[in-house]
Amino acid sequence: MIYKVQNNRIMLGMAALLLGWMSSCGGGAKTQTTIVEKVRKPNIILLMADDQGWGDTGYNGHPELKTPNLDDMATNGAVFNRFYSGGSVCSPTRGSVITGRHPLRYGICNANCGHVKDQEITLPEMAKGEGYTTGHFGKWHLGTLTRDTLDANRGGRAHFDKDYAPPWDNGYDVSFVTESKVPTWDPMITPPKSAGDVSGHLKEGAPFNTFYWTGPGEIVTDNLEGDDSRVIMDRAIPFIENAVKDDQPFMAVVWFHTPHLPVLAGEEDRAMYDHLSEDQQHYYGVLTALDQQVGRLRQTLEELGVAENTVIFYTSDNGPEGKAVQGRTQGLTKGLKGRKRSLYEGGLRVPGIIEWKGTIQPGTSIDAPTFTSDYFPTIANILGVDIAANQRPYDGVDLFPYLTGEMQKREKPLAFAYQEQLALIEEDYKLYRANENQEFELYNIKNDPNETVDLAKKQPEKLAEMVEYWKKWKVSVDRSSEEGDY
C-alpha cells in the first residue's frame, strides 16, 4: 500500500462500497489498487448555504422552488433524513464544521462572538498535513479579517482585535472571504431596505461596508457584480482547476451567503417564479442561482476528470430566518417547530447530502440523526488520520458506517446549547429546555418530528437519563472552554 492505513473500519467500509462497482467493471488487482489509491487521496468539497431551511429544496418536496442540481446530488449520493446544523445560528455551526467540536468549547457563543482559537486543530490544517492544498471561499464568520480597516461587524475596531482569526492563519492556502453577511446580489452595494436586514445608517446604492479579502490587507475590487453565489464560484473553480493541473489533492470549502438577508435575485433567476409574489421571486430566485453554481461546480469536476475522486458535502448552517414566512424570509421548515435561533427542529434540521460518484451508492438514505460536527471525524477517516492522537473531546462521529450500512442507529447523542436553550437528540428521543425557568420537554422525535406531544411527565425515567447525559456533556464543554483540552 502506498498510503498508511490508520483506521481499519473506514477501509472495510470502503471495500464494501467498492466491491460491487469493481465487480461490475471486471476489476482485477491493478484496478483495485487504482481505486484504493483514489480512496486514500480524494478531493474534498464542503458546500454550505446560509439560512436554508429543511424544506427549501426540490428533492424534499418544496411546492415551488427549483433546485435541479441539488436534487441530482441527492439522487446520485446519500441523503441524510435527519441532518442537523451544529448550532441554530451561523458562526457556531461553522465552528462545528471546521473543528468537529461544539463551538462553546472554544468561545464561539453566537454570531459575531469569539473566534477560532489558535490551539484548535482545523480541517484545512489536518488536510495540509496530508499533502492537500486548501481554499476557503465565501462567508467566514469565525473571526475578523483585519485590524486596521473598518469592515463588516467587527473588523478594524480595537475592542475586537482579539478576535482576528482569518482563514489564512487557520490552514488555508487560498482565501476569498467576507467576515459576515453581504447582499445576495451586487454584494458590495447596499440594497433597498425591502431586501431585509439593511442597517439604518447604510444608504441604498452606497457601499455595504463589508469587503471580500484574499489575504492580509488584500481587498478584492474586481468581478463583484451580480449574483453573489456566482461571484464566489468564480474564485473556487480556478482554485480547483489549478490543483488538478498540479496533480495535487484539494480541499475547497465554499460557504455561500444565500439565502441570508439581504435577499435580492437577478431578473433571470426571478423570471421562473413570476407567478408568485415579489418576495417569493427574490427568495426562490437566489436559491435557484445557488443551485446553478452547484451544477457548474459538478460539471467542472466531470470535465476535469476528477468527479469520481471527489467527495462533496452539502448542508445549511441553520434553519430559515424570520419569525414566520413573510417578506424576504420565505424559508420553509416543512412543518417543523421553530426557525433560526431556536433549538427546536425547525432551527436545527437542515438539508444534508454527500455525493461521491463511484463510491457512495446512488439513492442511499440515512435515517439516523447526524450533524455538522460529524464532518471532521468523517474526513479524518477518509484521510487516514487518527484524531484520538489530538487528545481532546470531539462531538462528532464518522459517518461512513452509516453510508456502508454497517450502522443504522446513532449511539452517541447530539448535544446542543445556545444562549439559555439546551437540547439533546438521540435515535428516538429529544430533550429540550427553553431556559432555566422552564420545564424540560421530551419528545419521541422519530415518531413526532413536529414536537407536538411532550412526554416529560409520562416517561420520567427517560427524561432523567437524557438530562443526566446533557449535564455531563456540559461539564466537558465547560472544561474545554477553560482551555483544559490544550
Side-chain angles (χ1 to χ4, degrees):
M1 288 295 295
I2 294 175
Y3 301 105
K4 60 187 177 182
V5 179
Q6 294 181 314
N7 189 309
N8 291 329
R9 188 175 68 181
I10 186 68
M11 291 304 295
L12 289 171
M14 288 294 97
L17 281 168
L18 292 167
L19 182 60
W21 190 91
M22 288 188 292
S23 298
S24 66
C25 295
K30 184 176 181 181
T31 304
Q32 184 174 359
T33 300
T34 302
I35 293 171
V36 170
E37 287 174 358
K38 282 186 177 183
V39 167
R40 299 316 302 159
K41 290 286 186 181
N43 306 307
I44 297 165
I45 300 176
L46 293 99
L47 306 176
M48 182 183 287
D50 196 339
D51 295 357
Q52 182 180 18
W54 169 244
D56 287 342
T57 61
Y59 75 83
N60 204 16
H62 196 288
E64 298 286 352
L65 180 61
K66 307 295 191 295
T67 57
N69 295 291
L70 291 177
D71 300 349
D72 195 53
M73 275 188 69
T75 298
N76 290 299
V79 173
F80 293 83
N81 298 317
R82 295 173 64 191
F83 194 80
Y84 296 90
S85 54
S88 58
V89 293
C90 48
S91 297
T93 294
R94 295 166 198 278
S96 74
V97 169
I98 207 171
T99 66
R101 288 154 51 85
H102 193 278
L104 288 181
R105 293 188 184 276
Y106 41 92
I108 295 180
C109 62
N110 206 336
N112 309 307
C113 171
H115 61 277
V116 178
K117 292 182 178 179
D118 290 340
Q119 301 98 317
E120 287 296 314
I121 299 168
T122 67
L123 271 177
E125 289 169 344
M126 179 172 66
K128 281 176 67 67
E130 297 299 309
Y132 281 64
T133 182
T134 56
H136 193 107
F137 308 92
K139 193 174 188 179
W140 175 238
H141 226 184
L142 292 174
T144 65
L145 307 174
T146 177
R147 289 192 176 102
D148 52 23
T149 302
L150 287 178
D151 177 44
N153 298 316
R154 296 188 287 172
R157 297 157 178 85
H159 57 291
F160 288 121
D161 278 356
K162 66 181 184 304
D163 289 321
Y164 180 76
W168 47 86
D169 284 353
N170 284 280
Y172 287 105
D173 297 317
V174 176
S175 301
F176 175 75
V177 291
T178 63
E179 177 190 311
S180 52
K181 70 179 182 186
V182 293
T184 57
W185 182 268
D186 285 345
M188 300 293 100
I189 305 299
T190 301
K193 293 192 182 301
S194 59
D197 201 19
V198 178
S199 300
H201 68 280
L202 296 174
K203 294 184 178 180
E204 181 179 347
F208 195 68
N209 294 338
T210 296
F211 302 108
Y212 269 109
W213 301 78
T214 55
E218 299 174 3
I219 295 175
V220 180
T221 59
D222 66 308
N223 187 16
L224 298 172
E225 297 78 33
D227 177 62
D228 181 66
S229 296
R230 192 271 308 158
V231 167
I232 293 169
M233 196 59 70
D234 276 2
R235 274 63 179 205
I237 284 180
F239 166 78
I240 292 169
E241 291 173 335
N242 289 335
V244 173
K245 180 181 177 182
D246 294 339
D247 196 25
Q248 186 172 15
F250 63 83
M251 172 182 285
V253 178
V254 183
W255 286 352
F256 299 104
H257 294 99
T258 295
H260 192 294
L261 298 171
V263 170
L264 279 87
E267 290 298 324
E268 289 187 13
D269 298 317
R270 291 177 57 187
M272 69 179 67
Y273 304 110
D274 59 5
H275 60 293
L276 301 173
S277 71
E278 181 177 346
D279 289 325
Q280 289 173 316
Q281 289 176 35
H282 280 286
Y283 187 84
Y284 299 160
V286 298
L287 278 170
T288 292
L290 180 156
D291 182 81
Q292 290 169 354
Q293 296 307 314
V294 172
R296 178 185 170 198
L297 171 67
R298 295 171 72 233
Q299 182 61 34
T300 297
L301 297 175
E302 291 285 352
E303 293 171 356
L304 293 173
V306 296
E308 291 194 4
N309 199 38
T310 303
V311 55
I312 309 175
F313 298 75
Y314 183 88
T315 191
S316 173
D317 61 350
N318 47 249
E321 177 64 273
K323 296 181 179 179
V325 179
Q326 59 187 13
R328 295 292 163 88
T329 60
Q330 291 289 323
L332 301 183
T333 66
K334 203 176 179 182
L336 300 178
K337 184 190 296 186
R339 298 172 72 85
K340 180 178 178 179
R341 301 178 187 85
S342 170
L343 295 187
Y344 282 123
E345 291 290 286
L348 291 172
R349 196 183 293 201
V350 291
I353 308 171
I354 300 181
E355 182 182 30
W356 191 350
K357 185 177 179 181
T359 297
I360 294 177
Q361 183 71 28
T364 299
S365 181
I366 308 297
D367 290 326
T370 52
F371 69 156
T372 50
S373 290
D374 295 334
Y375 282 174
F376 191 99
T378 301
I379 294 170
N381 276 348
I382 291 174
L383 301 183
V385 175
D386 182 5
I387 60 174
N390 297 334
Q391 296 184 327
R392 59 192 60 188
Y394 284 94
D395 295 290
V397 301
D398 177 24
L399 293 173
F400 269 94
Y402 300 102
L403 295 169
T404 63
E406 181 184 344
M407 293 183 65
Q408 284 80 40
K409 293 186 177 183
R410 180 95 180 194
E411 294 180 352
K412 183 177 182 179
L414 286 60
F416 304 86
Y418 174 63
Q419 296 182 333
E420 296 184 278
Q421 299 176 79
L422 66 82
L424 185 72
I425 297 171
E426 58 175 39
E427 184 68 26
D428 293 336
Y429 289 91
K430 178 175 178 179
L431 174 75
Y432 174 84
R433 189 177 70 181
N435 57 60
E436 291 183 354
N437 297 321
Q438 301 295 317
E439 297 291 332
F440 286 104
E441 300 168 21
L442 180 68
Y443 300 97
N444 186 317
I445 203 66
K446 194 168 187 178
N447 298 332
D448 179 25
N450 295 346
E451 297 166 299
T452 60
V453 180
D454 183 0
L455 302 173
K457 290 184 170 56
K458 294 182 178 180
Q459 299 187 30
E461 292 183 1
K462 186 63 182 179
L463 177 70
E465 171 192 317
M466 295 187 71
V467 169
E468 183 63 20
Y469 185 99
W470 188 91
K471 287 180 177 179
K472 288 181 179 179
W473 172 81
K474 189 60 166 55
V475 168
S476 171
V477 169
D478 291 343
R479 180 183 181 277
S480 298
S481 70
E482 295 169 359
E483 301 195 347
D485 300 335
Y486 308 138

